[in-house]
Amino acid sequence: MDEKLARKLRILADAAKYDASCASSGAPKRKAGADGLGSTTGAGICHAYTPDGRCVSLLKILLTNYCLFDCAYCVNRRSSNVARARFSVEEVVTLTIEFYKRNYIEGLFLSSGIIRSPDYTMEMLTRVAKKLRREHGFRGYIHLKSIPEASPWLIEEAGLYADRLSINLELPTEASLNRLAPEKDGAAIESAMGQIGERIIQAKEERRRFSPAGQSTQVIVGADATTDEAMIRKSALLYGTYGLKRVYYSAFSPIPDASAALPPQAPPLRREHRLYQADWLIRYYEFSPDDVAGASEDGMLALDIDPKLAWALKNRHCFPVDVNRADREMLLRVPGLGARAVDAIIKARRHGRLRLDDVARLSSGLKRARPFLIAEDFRPTTLTDRLDLRAKLAEPAEQLSLF
């Protein structure tokens, strides 16, 4: 790789790191030996997960970090004093193919600042995917960031070549967008989401290809005064209205020469984690947005305990739950029991009454579950009513668990 292209890669891979919808797994740098293939070295290599659970390595870059917009929270805004670079379509294609041949990557994540116009930018992004697919026969994973202000037919063409499309909502309310990103239109963003959602449904019905891995979005956490409750309610609305696969939560990161309208410090990283946990409860644990709201304090999720435990502590009258008799919906509400553990419990109890040791073998979260469940040989009569139960189950500052 020549020095000029390497410099562009360093700048535009670094500029892409703020997009959480393709988060790096943080793998250590390593290189295969003489008998192996592949490497985790190299700028811009990140990891993402496909809908079937496979982990794939992606080249994650921006087409350019030049931008016509001046969003206050964005390090690549037009008034920002950062090093700028721009790839040509051919350079992105060449990098993708060469990295793929060297077994560095299995796909491409491509976003961009807005250059010339939304239509021009969307056309350039689509040209990359089209060229890879049609001229090089590339069958790897391609994720394209869609430009919501672009013409519908350009976004439609992008969906023919991309595995997944995503449009960043950025901020959950129109008021916040007007204050921090006045050049963006929340209605236009959601309209584009709706268009993509409709095309995905139509393509499935007609058995043709259009963004087969669905669409996702990203919301910035902590750049405005939006509460966690409002954030989760907005996400639930997006899932239900547009059929999104994922809403990604990205903690606001202070940037150089920031606007006075932005907070001087980043929010606690644990806040982002709690939002993901609450999001998970709605998607996989049959919780409603009202349930999550009920687990919050003044609209904010607790930082010392996860939202499922917070809900359980506020609804102690629902517990303890009998693992040998309770239905799946109620078992899913027991802190410490994940969806797989619940399914394993339901399967195992068909063959006999479960004791506490049996639950311990089926779930690694027995410590948190113990005060909230009944087993054949166990009933936590006094534990559930303990006033210090929250303190006993709170996570250490360095610990981040799912449930």
Side-chain angles (χ1 to χ4, degrees):
M1 186 187 306
D2 65 57
E3 185 176 340
K4 183 178 179 182
L5 188 58
R7 177 180 177 276
K8 289 183 181 181
L9 182 57
R10 285 193 298 271
I11 292 172
L12 296 173
D14 185 69
K17 69 184 180 184
Y18 297 100
D19 203 312
S21 57
C22 176
S24 171
S25 66
K29 290 185 178 181
R30 60 185 184 272
K31 188 174 182 180
D35 297 327
L37 290 172
S39 169
T40 57
T41 61
I45 307 300
C46 71
H47 295 80
Y49 290 87
T50 61
D52 62 2
R54 291 179 299 110
C55 178
V56 295
S57 302
L58 304 178
L59 174 62
K60 180 182 177 183
I61 53 175
L62 298 186
L63 184 66
T64 181
N65 63 342
Y66 289 99
C67 193
L68 296 176
F69 291 174
D70 202 33
C71 305
Y73 49 79
C74 183
V75 70
N76 298 315
R77 67 193 185 281
R78 68 169 180 265
S79 61
S80 181
N81 184 24
V82 296
R84 305 283 183 174
R86 176 180 172 181
F87 283 127
S88 67
V89 169
E90 290 71 21
E91 285 173 331
V92 177
V93 170
T94 298
L95 282 172
T96 304
I97 295 299
E98 291 303 314
F99 278 24
Y100 186 79
K101 286 179 178 179
R102 287 169 172 76
N103 202 32
Y104 290 174
I105 63 168
E106 296 172 80
L108 171 69
F109 177 96
L110 184 62
S111 184
S112 182
I114 309 300
I115 44 175
R116 295 195 189 179
S117 70
D119 276 0
Y120 177 82
T121 307
M122 193 72 241
E123 184 179 358
M124 293 301 102
L125 293 170
T126 303
R127 279 182 58 191
V128 170
K130 186 175 182 178
K131 201 175 186 68
L132 283 168
R133 298 290 195 211
R134 298 184 70 173
E135 295 184 18
H136 296 273
F138 184 71
R139 295 294 180 265
Y141 182 84
I142 297 179
H143 182 149
L144 292 183
K145 276 291 175 185
S146 302
I147 312 300
E149 298 83 1
S151 301
W153 70 268
L154 284 170
I155 295 179
E156 182 133 356
E157 185 181 22
L160 300 177
Y161 303 105
D163 292 283
R164 173 170 286 185
L165 297 175
S166 58
I167 298 176
N168 283 354
L169 186 65
E170 305 289 18
L171 297 168
T173 68
E174 191 69 33
S176 293
L177 274 176
N178 288 338
R179 186 168 65 91
L180 298 176
E183 294 155 306
K184 290 192 173 181
D185 183 344
I189 293 172
E190 294 200 31
S191 176
M193 286 181 182
Q195 176 200 343
I196 293 172
E198 290 174 1
R199 296 298 178 269
I200 290 172
I201 293 172
Q202 290 176 1
K204 287 181 179 178
E205 291 174 349
E206 298 169 3
R207 297 184 178 181
R208 60 182 177 85
R209 192 185 194 285
F210 182 90
S211 190
Q215 65 168 322
S216 59
T217 193
Q218 173 176 296
V219 184
I220 299 172
V221 177
D224 64 354
T226 300
T227 64
D228 294 341
E229 176 188 345
M231 193 88 70
I232 288 297
R233 289 190 184 279
K234 182 67 174 184
S235 296
L237 181 65
L238 294 174
Y239 284 127
T241 305
Y242 306 118
L244 267 64
K245 289 293 186 182
R246 286 290 303 272
V247 174
Y248 290 87
Y249 305 95
S250 176
F252 166 71
S253 179
I255 55 178
D257 305 315
S259 164
L262 293 171
Q265 294 182 331
L269 184 60
R270 186 164 289 204
R271 182 185 175 192
E272 177 187 302
H273 183 67
R274 296 298 181 220
L275 284 167
Y276 275 115
Q277 290 178 315
D279 184 279
W280 201 266
L281 290 180
I282 290 173
R283 292 166 61 214
Y284 297 112
Y285 285 76
E286 302 179 21
F287 278 61
S288 69
D290 287 341
D291 291 331
V292 174
S296 67
E297 296 286 351
D298 297 324
M300 301 301 290
L301 297 171
L303 298 181
D304 62 327
I305 57 174
D306 68 70
K308 189 202 276 194
L309 177 56
W311 185 89
L313 291 173
K314 287 191 173 187
N315 293 274
R316 296 193 191 200
H317 62 280
C318 297
F319 300 95
V321 170
D322 191 335
V323 294
N324 289 297
R325 302 178 61 183
D327 60 22
R328 186 175 187 272
E329 180 180 0
M330 200 59 222
L331 285 173
L332 285 172
R333 296 192 174 232
V334 176
L337 295 186
R340 290 183 180 179
V342 168
D343 290 338
I345 287 170
I346 292 173
K347 182 178 180 180
R349 73 188 187 185
R350 296 172 187 160
H351 306 288
R353 304 280 294 178
L354 300 183
R355 301 168 67 86
L356 197 63
D357 286 347
D358 298 320
V359 178
R361 283 191 290 270
L362 298 172
S363 171
S364 61
L366 183 61
K367 178 183 176 182
R368 280 173 293 155
R370 186 184 178 102
F372 301 96
L373 57 78
I374 296 171
E376 179 68 10
D377 61 342
F378 177 76
R379 186 180 185 92
T381 306
T382 57
L383 282 176
T384 306
D385 295 330
R386 291 184 63 145
L387 295 178
D388 62 347
L389 184 57
R390 174 173 178 153
K392 283 186 171 295
L393 296 178
E395 297 173 9
E398 70 277 3
Q399 179 180 334
L400 288 177
S401 63
L402 184 59
F403 294 115

